[in-house]
Amino acid sequence: MRDGFTILQRENLLQRLSSAHYDLLIIGGGITGAGIALDAASRGLKTALVEKSDFASGTSSRSTKLIHGGLRYLKQFEIALVREVGHERAVVHGLAPHLVVSEKMLLPIIKDGTFGKIMTSVGLVIYDVLAGVEKEDQRKMLDKKETLEAEPLLPEDKIEGGGLYSEYRTDDSRLTIEVMKTAHNFGADCLNYVEVEDFVYQDDMVKGAFCRDTLSDRRFEIRSQYVVCAAGPWVDDLREKNSSRSGKYLHLTKGVHIVVPHSRFPVKQSVYFDVPDGRMVFAIPRGKVTYVGTTDTNFEGDKNNVRTNLEDVQYLVEGVNFIFPSVNLAVGDVISSWAGVRPLIHEEGKSASEISRKDEVFESETGLISIAGGKLTGYRKMAQKVVDLLAERFEENQNRRLKNCHTDETVFTGGEFRNAKEVKQYRKSVANKLLELGIDEAEAKYLVSNYGKQTDQILEEYNSIDDPDPAIRLAKAELWFTMQFEMVCLPLDFFVRRTGRLYFDIESVKKLKNPILASFADYLGWGQSKVDQEGAKVDEALQLASNFR
Ligand code: FAD
């Protein structure tokens, strides 16, 4: 592993970014930017990437966290999209089988629902064919009795049957960080908390960016042959700065997920179900919780401050109660939530839910290449599309030939497993080690799906940490790992995007807040006022995730 992906080397990295001349500068550290950085660096380009906040802090930590074949696009007859994302999910599963995990999804058939029996059966067959689903994973139609056995919370009087089909679940921000780390290993210089404020021009062409280190408020310049804007919902803001926001533009829609204790909504498995307005929503069990989403409403507010409001929560709670009346969920049951915006390409006359999820590349007269739209699932193909375009430019203008794309066989950091069976064996060995350490073996699932083989390094560090409470000791070992190898700079990077604790184990954030802040103070020499300031940000995040107006 190439070292240096740590806040402890931040000064060196800033120095390098401001003095080197890059082939490519990428703006935006979500999954799209990370994917482009990996593709470009692994094809031999000297690559830099900057992210104005933390990696994955934009849309790429706020999705439904599915690597999916997009069943709903079939309903909209987006055949090519279903085929492409269907193929891609199998590729991404192969690259990180611990992090992209096969998950059966139940589609209950109800009277007057979105899909009737025949539509479900035929639709799922077409979906399996387009998405290239392996024979043993292909759809299975269930009768009423089998559907109720699969999910006993469904109402007997409404259910007519069901379909079981294949999806993959993941953790979007973990996926982004592992792709980013892999790009770093190929030599890309990727840094969070660096904002692009404007472009550098030479002979009227974009040749770099004026940047601000938002942690120290210092300004500097990055010089690069080409600049790609992968800023998700902020793409048009940067096109505006480049005076090239013309033609197609973004249409932002907000999507909210709510989290409830699994004991309050104890689904046995993931379900994709109808809600009263004709849309469909997922309920996904994950460890101690079940999460439900998503909404899809037009968004014109502050992109840096997207919030879950009471109306969003009520919509999802009512949706659950519509199909699972016995659950009788209430707004007060919601313990956490997240809200994000989709950077879609505007289509005249279409509503939020109807707009295509296709991606598009824009190239300005001054040479700025921007990419928007798309899905988490399709990030690798989006990256290939951009780097193929750059390869053409390098060949035309610099007479330089790049290697072909090979990210379909570039395993991510931590993903060194041949298949899901090996992940299972490894998880078992981790569970045994945890038992010896006096830690609940259920933590093995969390550790292995988050960190893959890198769990070994965390458990090794565990032995050198001194704390009487095993849970605090383990969290401190995780902090050590994410600070040394995953560019954690602030406590919320750790609690939200490296560990997902704010969403999936919010109580643990309350317990771990002070010990983790103390570790930050030790590692980074923080004084009390900095500790208080960062502690207040954690309190605010706890508040926003679970209090709605
Ligand atoms: P982002 O993740 O937003 O990254 C852009 C980054 O650019 C941001 O981090 C931002 O801080 C940075 N940036 C902006 N301006 C600047 C600047 N001036 N300088 C430096 N950095 C800057 N897809 C799926 O495949 N499966 C799903 O289950 C799924 N569910 C979804 C559910 C919801 C509710 C939403 C909203 C989306 C969902 N998606 C899903 C879509 C998917 O999440 C997005 O397509 C994807 O995350 C977009 O990634 P991105 O990198 O393009 O944008």
Side-chain angles (χ1 to χ4, degrees):
M1 198 190 288
R2 177 181 173 226
D3 66 2
F5 201 56
T6 165
I7 186 175
L8 305 168
Q9 296 278 328
R10 192 173 172 86
E11 282 305 318
N12 289 344
L13 199 41
L14 282 165
Q15 183 59 35
R16 203 154 64 228
L17 285 169
S18 56
S19 56
H21 192 286
Y22 291 92
D23 294 324
L24 173 63
L25 167 64
I26 300 154
I27 308 169
I31 190 65
T32 309
I36 297 169
L38 175 56
D39 194 315
S42 64
R43 286 161 84 169
L45 290 180
K46 189 171 168 59
T47 304
L49 178 148
V50 289
E51 160 57 51
K52 73 182 170 70
S53 176
D54 185 24
F55 298 125
S57 59
T59 309
S60 299
S61 53
R62 298 150 190 263
S63 76
T64 309
K65 305 177 196 299
L66 290 173
I67 294 293
H68 58 157
L71 183 63
R72 73 183 206 81
Y73 313 131
L74 195 59
K75 207 175 136 194
Q76 294 161 328
F77 298 105
E78 296 218 46
I79 304 293
L81 190 61
V82 178
R83 186 182 289 124
E84 181 167 303
V85 287
H87 173 73
E88 272 311 289
R89 59 185 198 161
V91 173
V92 186
H93 168 68
L95 301 176
H98 64 292
L99 181 56
V100 179
V101 179
S102 172
E103 172 98 5
K104 285 278 176 247
M105 188 69 70
L106 176 64
L107 189 77
I109 301 167
I110 56 164
K111 277 184 207 123
D112 307 321
T114 301
F115 295 104
K117 259 188 199 162
I118 295 173
M119 257 293 276
T120 304
S121 179
V122 175
L124 290 180
V125 168
I126 297 174
Y127 175 78
D128 281 344
V129 172
L130 289 176
V133 177
E134 298 283 333
K135 206 166 175 63
E136 65 272 18
D137 277 336
Q138 288 183 353
R139 75 100 170 89
K140 197 170 162 229
M141 294 306 294
L142 308 179
D143 62 19
K144 179 171 177 158
K145 186 165 165 271
E146 289 166 325
T147 307
L148 291 168
E149 270 164 21
E151 188 40 75
L153 289 176
L154 288 167
E156 209 181 330
D157 56 334
K158 262 194 183 173
I159 294 299
E160 297 189 331
L164 263 188
Y165 70 101
S166 282
E167 288 285 25
Y168 287 91
R169 71 183 152 76
T170 190
D171 186 300
D172 44 10
S173 28
R174 288 291 326 162
L175 185 67
T176 304
I177 198 71
E178 297 299 4
V179 175
M180 196 77 74
K181 284 159 63 186
T182 312
H184 166 86
N185 283 346
F186 275 99
D189 291 333
C190 309
L191 196 55
N192 48 3
Y193 296 101
V194 172
E195 179 168 15
V196 165
E197 293 189 316
D198 211 339
F199 295 100
V200 172
Y201 294 89
Q202 198 184 312
D203 301 327
D204 292 335
M205 297 304 281
V206 172
K207 291 292 168 198
F210 294 108
C211 301
R212 184 171 71 95
D213 170 9
T214 65
L215 296 183
S216 68
D217 209 23
R218 275 175 301 176
R219 289 187 160 77
F220 64 100
E221 201 178 308
I222 302 179
R223 280 165 299 141
S224 178
Q225 186 68 32
Y226 293 99
V227 177
V228 165
C229 173
W234 293 265
V235 158
D236 276 352
D237 298 351
L238 285 144
R239 289 171 79 208
E240 191 99 55
K241 279 190 205 295
N242 178 240
S243 309
S244 62
R245 189 188 170 280
S246 57
K248 292 195 177 179
Y249 57 93
L250 293 192
H251 181 139
L252 304 182
T253 78
K254 182 170 101 164
V256 163
H257 291 81
I258 54 170
V259 181
V260 298
H262 186 254
S263 56
R264 270 305 284 117
F265 185 19
V267 270
K268 266 171 78 178
Q269 65 152 81
S270 296
V271 189
Y272 187 34
F273 59 96
D274 286 88
V275 292
D277 66 357
R279 290 187 60 252
M280 293 187 76
V281 160
F282 293 99
I284 301 176
R286 178 164 161 160
K288 300 172 187 163
V289 302
T290 300
Y291 67 94
V292 179
T294 168
T295 60
D296 198 353
T297 50
N298 288 328
F299 180 80
E300 282 166 6
D302 177 3
K303 297 184 284 284
N304 295 312
N305 204 357
V306 189
R307 293 193 181 172
T308 304
N309 60 35
L310 188 58
E311 211 181 315
D312 302 318
V313 177
Q314 277 164 342
Y315 172 90
L316 293 171
V317 165
E318 279 163 23
V320 169
N321 291 336
F322 174 68
I323 208 93
F324 299 96
S326 65
V327 173
N328 204 10
L329 206 63
V331 170
D333 291 318
V334 178
I335 51 172
S336 189
S337 70
W338 64 90
V341 282
R342 302 173 183 83
L344 308 176
I345 316 288
H346 181 75
E347 290 178 274
E348 216 45 60
K350 291 211 173 166
S351 72
S353 293
E354 286 166 347
I355 297 177
S356 167
R357 269 53 180 167
K358 279 198 293 257
D359 58 88
E360 287 215 31
V361 175
F362 312 107
E363 204 173 352
S364 80
E365 281 178 11
T366 53
L368 176 69
I369 296 170
S370 304
I371 180 154
K375 303 278 297 169
L376 187 72
T377 309
Y379 81 90
R380 201 188 64 81
K381 279 281 168 194
M382 288 167 73
Q384 182 179 357
K385 194 189 271 186
V386 169
V387 183
D388 281 349
L389 178 68
L390 287 165
E392 274 173 36
R393 298 288 172 273
F394 273 104
E395 190 149 9
E396 277 163 20
N397 303 332
Q398 280 82 30
N399 200 17
R400 179 173 162 196
R401 244 189 110 80
L402 301 192
K403 285 184 205 156
N404 287 335
C405 172
H406 54 98
T407 50
D408 57 345
E409 47 196 39
T410 305
V411 168
F412 306 152
T413 41
E416 301 85 1
F417 301 97
R418 262 176 307 179
N419 47 41
K421 201 168 150 206
E422 273 194 19
V423 177
K424 207 169 158 190
Q425 284 162 355
Y426 179 68
R427 195 165 51 229
K428 202 147 188 275
S429 76
V430 169
N432 289 338
K433 281 186 202 158
L434 292 179
L435 274 178
E436 281 168 27
L437 299 172
I439 302 172
D440 186 348
E441 60 181 320
E443 287 291 313
K445 199 169 175 192
Y446 159 78
L447 286 170
V448 174
S449 60
N450 261 18
Y451 303 104
K453 283 265 170 78
Q454 301 162 119
T455 303
D456 286 344
Q457 282 165 276
I458 294 173
L459 293 183
E460 218 175 289
E461 180 64 15
Y462 180 93
N463 292 323
S464 60
I465 287 174
D466 193 16
D467 196 294
D469 183 331
I472 293 178
R473 219 169 135 185
L474 185 60
K476 284 185 172 179
E478 275 184 89
L479 177 64
W480 167 84
F481 177 80
T482 54
M483 199 178 259
Q484 290 291 336
F485 303 107
E486 302 198 331
M487 206 53 98
V488 156
C489 298
L490 298 171
L492 285 175
D493 303 345
F494 177 73
F495 284 127
V496 184
R497 289 164 295 270
R498 302 304 181 280
T499 66
R501 284 178 191 274
L502 184 74
Y503 304 146
F504 303 113
D505 193 2
I506 195 164
E507 283 307 311
S508 77
V509 180
K510 296 173 193 164
K511 170 174 172 171
L512 294 169
K513 185 187 119 182
N514 288 335
I516 290 295
L517 281 167
S519 290
F520 266 93
D522 285 347
Y523 284 123
L524 304 178
W526 285 358
Q528 193 54 46
S529 71
K530 178 72 177 165
V531 169
D532 292 345
Q533 188 190 336
E534 294 304 326
K537 287 190 202 161
V538 175
D539 291 339
E540 191 191 8
L542 284 165
Q543 171 78 7
L544 287 175
S546 56
N547 284 283
F548 318 105
R549 272 181 287 133

